[in-house]
Amino acid sequence: MNYLSTRDTGVSVSSSRAIAKGISPDGGLFVPESVPRIGLSEISELAGMGYIDRAKNILGRFLTDFSAEELDSCVTGAYGQGFSDKKIAPVVTVKENMHILELFKGPTCAFKDMALQILPRLLTVAGAKAAKGREIIILVATSGDTGKAALEGFRDVPHTRILVFYPSEGVSPMQKLQMCTQEGSNVAVSAIRGNFDDAQNGVKRIFTDPGIIKKLDENGMAFSSANSINWGRLAPQIVYYFSAYCDLVAEKKINCGDEINFVVPTGNFGNILAAYYAKEMGLPVKKLLCASNSNSVLTDFLTTGVYDRNRQFYTTISPSMDILISSNLERLLYSMAGSEKVKEWMKLLSSEGKYTVDDETLSKIKEVFAAGCCDDTATKATIAKYFKEHNYLCDTHTAVAVTVYDRYVETTGDTTPTVIASTASPFKFSRAVLEAVEGKTSDLDEFDMVGRLAEVTGLECPAPLANLRDKKVRFTGCCEKAEMDRVVFDMLGI
Ligand SMILES: *Cc1c(COP(=O)(O)O)cnc(C)c1O
């Protein structure tokens, strides 16, 4: 199976090449030329398997130029000791019809690990096939969790180097500490003065700058991307939607063939897009509920068809969703309206910051998606309520999804069994979670707060977070947007 660009279907490359390149030269994203279908009998078979076999099965349908041995070694290496739960992505039933898919059991305690533990392995194989032995340079723009997960995934991986840019005023203290203490000989981290969109736009520009690409080429290097625009990030995320469904079947909470809903706390639209592909493949899904914080650009878009990034940017307690340009939406638009329209809309997005889709596209979107948003006050109230009433502690991002879900049920009466994606450990966002649970502000430092949260909730802080206290800070730099090129060259020594 080949991959096309969302902006030029004349571009057609193998899966390894799509992963090695990250983004198409025309600025478009790689998408599968067709979505492989999976039948109920096959889903029923997957229900009898563990996560690793489910992953091999689903990924094998997309990554067709990887051999079975190559996939086997990538999958087995990724989903092993780095995870603190042997189910990898366990499903917890919180109340009737409401299940939480815990995606934060990996080494950095956020759902990004689900993809970033395997992406470096896929890239190493793909690089050997497609990048002709050149050193692969990973540039990352992060709203917090991607950066750390990518650093951890790529550290000391041969023939790769990784450089992460994060917005100086837009990550939690714990996220910042996780990145700035990163170990490994091929890693670097820099803050950039600006917000996540500034970081992401800067990275995208560098990726497609012909002068920079040439300079790397002359030095035996080539860029690739670990952001969720890389197909190698998305494909592994499709797996856990199947896995969650299979777990519910295996535990007899649903019958194979029953429809379920998924609720996904959304930023760059990568996670929920993976759920959409799972549905397209044939997983019985009724609705995908897209949950946003006060940066509600997606809620507005999915309900009105108008995408307008010209609005106030809010810094919230769910910082990984503080995004006004959701890159992966482009793949959904391609799937629903084709490349000509995508090209037109993306041009408008970059020139006007705004576009409006046609009625036919909007009605297709509404058939599949529902959307909602909530502010920090509601998010905190949900954390407190679910801890008190269900003894379940959510992180801030997950709580946005839970809030939006509860309101959705209230307004629609839809009692379809629902799986909510939980994207981070509550200990990663201790201040907000602790304040929610205790109902008062806290002036403790980051680590005392983690300790206090453990004490108040009776839960244990995950080891990778607890251990940060003794790590040395290695990276302190902060650059302007205009200086990003120089930071890249400095790191690469070219
Ligand atoms: C990245 C992230 C999100 C948003 O996921 P997208 O794929 O960007 O939509 C939500 N929650 C957490 C904790 C994250 O790290």
Side-chain angles (χ1 to χ4, degrees):
M1 177 168 57
N2 271 355
Y3 288 77
L4 316 177
S5 163
T6 48
R7 299 188 196 178
D8 180 0
T9 47
V11 172
S12 175
V13 300
S14 66
S15 60
S16 60
R17 196 151 175 84
I19 291 173
K21 288 182 76 72
I23 187 168
S24 178
D26 50 65
L29 309 186
F30 288 115
V31 284
E33 60 190 355
S34 64
V35 176
R37 296 283 302 177
I38 180 165
L40 279 185
S41 62
E42 291 173 290
I43 294 175
S44 169
E45 273 171 43
L46 290 178
M49 302 177 186
Y51 196 86
I52 286 185
D53 288 318
R54 289 172 184 168
K56 282 192 237 172
N57 184 304
I58 300 295
L59 287 174
R61 296 165 195 257
F62 285 101
L63 310 182
T64 50
D65 66 330
F66 287 67
S67 71
E69 293 72 39
E70 286 167 344
L71 259 189
D72 186 283
S73 99
C74 290
V75 169
T76 319
Y79 302 115
Q81 292 147 5
F83 284 74
S84 63
D85 190 306
K86 64 181 188 320
K87 294 203 75 166
I88 307 300
V91 177
V92 178
T93 298
V94 173
K95 65 182 187 191
E96 200 186 349
N97 294 328
M98 177 181 149
H99 313 277
I100 294 206
L101 169 59
E102 296 188 333
L103 300 172
F104 54 81
K105 300 295 184 181
T108 76
C109 308
F111 96 97
K112 304 292 195 294
D113 289 326
M114 298 304 299
L116 283 164
Q117 279 298 300
I118 190 168
L119 179 70
R121 298 167 203 273
L122 297 174
L123 254 178
T124 308
V125 175
K129 284 185 200 296
K132 303 188 203 90
R134 279 177 295 187
E135 192 173 22
I136 296 175
I137 310 301
I138 305 295
L139 276 193
V140 179
T142 185
S143 56
D145 294 326
T146 297
K148 176 60 185 181
L151 288 161
E152 197 56 41
F154 280 97
R155 77 189 253 194
D156 297 325
V157 172
H159 311 299
T160 70
R161 289 203 232 177
I162 173 163
L163 172 56
V164 171
F165 289 101
Y166 69 90
S168 57
E169 306 295 329
V171 300
S172 80
M174 188 62 97
Q175 289 176 317
K176 184 171 168 178
L177 200 60
Q178 277 188 306
M179 289 189 276
C180 295
T181 57
Q182 178 64 44
E183 293 162 357
S185 58
N186 62 338
V187 303
V189 176
S190 173
I192 125 158
R193 228 176 299 284
N195 62 31
F196 171 70
D197 291 314
D198 295 323
Q200 175 158 269
N201 286 337
V203 163
K204 270 194 184 171
R205 179 183 55 72
I206 293 173
F207 265 134
T208 47
D209 182 318
I212 300 179
I213 293 173
K214 183 155 170 276
K215 184 162 175 167
L216 257 70
D217 192 43
E218 288 162 0
N219 287 278
M221 301 172 177
F223 280 131
S224 189
S225 155
N227 276 101
S228 61
I229 52 177
N230 192 317
W231 181 253
R233 276 277 300 274
L234 262 164
Q237 298 184 347
I238 299 171
V239 175
Y240 50 70
Y241 290 104
F242 277 93
S243 182
Y245 188 91
C246 288
D247 278 356
L248 293 181
V249 171
E251 289 165 22
K252 302 208 164 32
K253 290 180 172 155
I254 58 171
N255 294 313
C256 193
D258 290 354
E259 285 191 321
I260 66 171
N261 293 334
F262 285 112
V263 189
V264 185
T266 303
N268 227 344
F269 210 76
N271 200 1
I272 195 165
L273 185 75
Y276 171 74
Y277 281 121
K279 177 174 166 60
E280 287 294 289
M281 288 175 75
L283 190 68
V285 175
K286 186 170 160 194
K287 282 279 178 195
L288 299 174
L289 183 49
C290 177
S292 302
N293 61 27
S294 294
N295 296 295
S296 58
V297 64
L298 283 169
T299 312
D300 297 345
F301 173 69
L302 295 171
T303 48
T304 66
V306 180
Y307 195 100
D308 188 357
R309 64 152 304 188
N310 306 309
R311 59 176 71 212
Q312 191 181 342
F313 177 86
Y314 296 96
T315 299
T316 73
I317 56 171
S318 45
S320 302
M321 296 155 66
D322 291 346
I323 291 176
L324 293 181
I325 300 183
S326 301
S327 304
N328 268 299
L329 191 60
E330 181 167 343
R331 286 188 163 109
L332 179 73
L333 295 175
Y334 170 83
S335 164
M336 297 198 157
S339 65
E340 282 311 310
K341 284 185 176 160
V342 165
K343 243 182 3 208
E344 185 187 314
W345 294 330
M346 291 305 118
K347 218 162 127 193
L348 282 169
L349 181 62
S350 78
S351 62
E352 318 285 325
K354 179 175 171 177
Y355 60 88
T356 306
V357 301
D358 53 279
D359 290 345
E360 191 192 333
T361 303
L362 179 60
S363 70
K364 280 190 196 165
I365 288 173
K366 282 187 159 176
E367 252 170 60
V368 181
F369 291 90
C373 57
C374 71
D375 63 11
D376 283 354
T377 309
T379 306
K380 282 189 177 174
T382 296
I383 293 172
K385 175 172 183 251
Y386 273 79
F387 182 64
K388 195 159 154 240
E389 292 176 13
H390 302 283
N391 199 27
Y392 189 85
L393 190 67
C394 299
D395 100 288
T396 49
H397 304 75
T398 310
V400 168
V402 172
T403 310
V404 168
Y405 169 67
D406 276 342
R407 290 181 188 168
Y408 167 82
V409 173
E410 222 167 86
T411 50
T412 61
D414 182 359
T415 54
T416 306
T418 295
V419 171
I420 299 178
S422 173
T423 50
S425 159
F427 285 92
K428 220 170 161 173
F429 302 93
S430 296
R431 174 178 299 279
V433 174
L434 182 64
E435 289 181 357
V437 170
E438 292 203 297
K440 58 174 200 239
T441 55
S442 167
D443 53 11
L444 298 173
D445 84 8
E446 192 66 17
F447 284 103
D448 290 341
M449 215 144 36
V450 166
R452 174 85 187 141
L453 185 59
E455 198 179 292
V456 171
T457 60
L459 297 169
E460 203 177 322
C461 177
L465 298 180
N467 295 342
L468 283 177
R469 181 167 232 160
D470 307 318
K471 294 241 159 99
K472 184 167 157 266
V473 172
R474 294 182 65 199
F475 303 102
T476 53
C478 181
C479 72
E480 301 295 332
K481 258 188 285 186
E483 296 173 320
M484 288 171 74
D485 299 15
R486 181 189 53 75
V487 174
V488 172
F489 297 146
D490 282 354
M491 183 228 177
L492 300 179
I494 60 174

